[in-house]
Amino acid sequence: MHTPLGAQLRQQPATAPLAETLEAIAGAGLVLAEKLRRARLEDVIGEAGAVNVQGEAQQKLDVLADELLLEKLSRCSAVAAYASEEQARPRMLRADGRYCVLCDPLDGSSNIDVAVPVGTIFGVLPCGKGAAPESALLQPGRVLLCAGYLLYGSSTALVLASAAGVDLFVLDPGRGEFLLAQRGLRMPAERKIYSINEANINGFDGGLQRWLHFAHENGYGARYIGSMVADVHRTLLRGGVFLYPATAANPQGKLRLLYECNPMASVMERAGGAATDGAAAILDIAPEALHQRCPVILGSSAEVARVCAHLCAS
Ligand code: AHG
Ligand code: MN
Ligand code: MN
């Protein structure tokens, strides 16, 4: 018998307001999963005609996902603020809220029109009563109360990382609810799989190029989907290492610290893996801006250590 998400959340020490917040995110994911399946039929494929604060063309579903999450979270009594990749500034919801929610509403959205898996990434930060949510949003990822992602793939998965560990839920479309599929996920310490966009190789640090040569010479397999959520989910379940390093086009890396790297780093570390920017643990980086980017190397602890050993040797 698979425990439903709501029942599982209430078994853990998570307080009812946190459970309510997580169920709101899962509820948005439920609706979004269906929207994605029917996107071509309902003509919600393609660009929205606007550019987000990142200077990236927004997909119609980026906007739809963002509005859906904002609408669901604005009904939660404990959410003080909502910050997302698609909003230049945080949305303040309640002065007496306890949590700030960070989201990448739709990750990998350039893949939507070719039916490649995409996802939603989220993190829940504590927001002390009366604290200014703007400052509460700029906390290191180490203080995340919980974090995780939804993956809209061959099945719809919800991965939730908290102090209790990392749990995997899977959507039962017939019942319209997420059911617990696996508790306490632990990552393999090593696995010869690497995931990186090798088209950027000429812009990689010399040490990274030497690590890539080591991987080529030592029987590693390459897997790169181009949706962070899908690449990270495979890394969580099978092991290996995912990287989006500094490149010529993105000298700070492409992925955003607050709502992509931190939540994924939290999942990795709580599952026994590692996540670094090449110099420090991602979760210990002190954020300075809502949309700041950072290089990311995450996955099996031994594989991340091998990459860093080559970087240090350079
Ligand atoms: P988003 O769709 O939220 O902007 O994220 C896209 C990101 C991430 O999903 C993926 O790992 C990365 O873009 C792929 O970038 P490249 O196409 O440059 O490899
Ligand atoms: Mn993304
Ligand atoms: Mn996105």
Side-chain angles (χ1 to χ4, degrees), residues 25-26 28-30 69 118-122 148-152 156-159 178 229:
I25 294 168
L30 194 59
L69 282 155
V118 294
T120 297
I121 307 172
F122 60 88
Y149 55 83
L150 288 137
L151 175 62
Y152 312 107
T156 299
L158 167 63
V159 167
F178 286 94
V229 175

Side-chain angles (χ1 to χ4, degrees), residues 82-172:
Y82 169 75
S84 109
E85 173 188 348
E86 306 306 334
Q87 307 250 356
R89 297 193 48 65
R91 300 292 290 269
M92 300 307 149
L93 300 177
R94 277 176 186 74
D96 62 347
R98 301 167 64 168
Y99 313 121
C100 290
V101 179
L102 292 149
C103 277
D104 176 357
L106 203 56
D107 172 70
S109 51
S110 60
N111 288 313
I112 296 169
D113 54 344
V114 293
V116 166
V118 294
T120 297
I121 307 172
F122 60 88
V124 182
L125 286 168
C127 173
K129 275 212 180 301
E134 290 89 342
S135 58
L137 286 160
L138 297 181
Q139 297 179 81
R142 190 72 64 193
V143 304
L144 281 163
L145 295 171
C146 56
Y149 55 83
L150 288 137
L151 175 62
Y152 312 107
S154 51
S155 62
T156 299
L158 167 63
V159 167
L160 185 54
S162 68
V166 180
D167 296 337
L168 167 65
F169 298 83
V170 175
L171 176 65
D172 176 338

Side-chain angles (χ1 to χ4, degrees), residues 188-244:
E190 54 188 352
R191 181 69 190 272
K192 291 187 173 181
I193 300 174
Y194 73 86
S195 184
I196 191 170
N197 184 340
E198 293 198 53
N200 300 320
I201 191 166
N202 294 336
F204 291 166
D205 167 281
L208 190 61
Q209 292 182 350
R210 279 189 291 282
W211 166 79
L212 202 47
H213 180 70
F214 161 83
H216 292 159
E217 296 297 307
N218 287 273
Y220 279 65
R223 291 287 182 277
Y224 192 72
I225 300 168
S227 286
M228 184 188 196
V229 175
D231 282 317
V232 169
H233 191 61
R234 180 201 58 250
T235 304
L236 172 66
L237 297 184
R238 295 210 178 135
V241 59
F242 167 82
L243 309 87
Y244 207 109

